[in-house]
Amino acid sequence: MAKSPAWQRKEGKNPTGGLNAKGRASYKGGTLKAPVKSGDNPRRASFLARMGGMPGPERKPNGEPTRLLLSLQAWGASSKSDAKAKAAAISKRNKGKK
């Protein structure tokens, strides 16, 4: 039986959220780049806006953060509402630069 790609298994996932280098390399749908942790990068604004609107809880019933919250934290947001606010602020600043 063939193994699933690393990005679908624990070995391809970063314990602090998102994928590690091995997980990004195993993704066959294209080239995945590392998270943009700070700054006004449009990729960061897009990710924060998209993930800020994702359904589901930020924490598991035992209080541990879900993969969603870990990913948001890896991209520099503390919650879904914070992600939406940061995405809007980044987009506004980027529009002012043009």
Side-chain angles (χ1 to χ4, degrees):
M1 184 169 178
K3 272 187 163 181
S4 59
W7 67 272
Q8 294 177 335
R9 296 189 317 262
K10 187 173 183 174
E11 68 186 62
K13 295 180 181 178
N14 187 336
T16 59
L19 298 174
N20 59 24
K22 185 173 185 175
R24 288 191 305 271
S26 72
Y27 183 71
K28 298 292 182 199
T31 304
L32 297 179
K33 297 178 182 179
V36 179
K37 298 180 188 276
S38 62
D40 287 347
N41 189 311
R43 249 181 83 229
R44 182 171 178 239
S46 176
F47 177 86
L48 291 173
R50 191 171 63 249
M51 295 303 279
M54 292 292 286
E58 293 179 8
R59 298 205 174 267
K60 297 175 186 175
N62 64 3
E64 291 181 22
T66 60
R67 301 269 323 152
L68 170 63
L69 183 57
L70 291 173
S71 293
L72 287 172
Q73 289 171 344
W75 285 72
S78 59
S79 66
K80 288 197 269 185
S81 59
D82 183 43
K84 289 178 190 177
K86 284 187 178 194
I90 292 168
S91 294
K92 186 176 180 180
R93 285 193 299 269
N94 285 339
K95 285 181 183 167
K97 291 179 183 177
K98 290 182 180 179

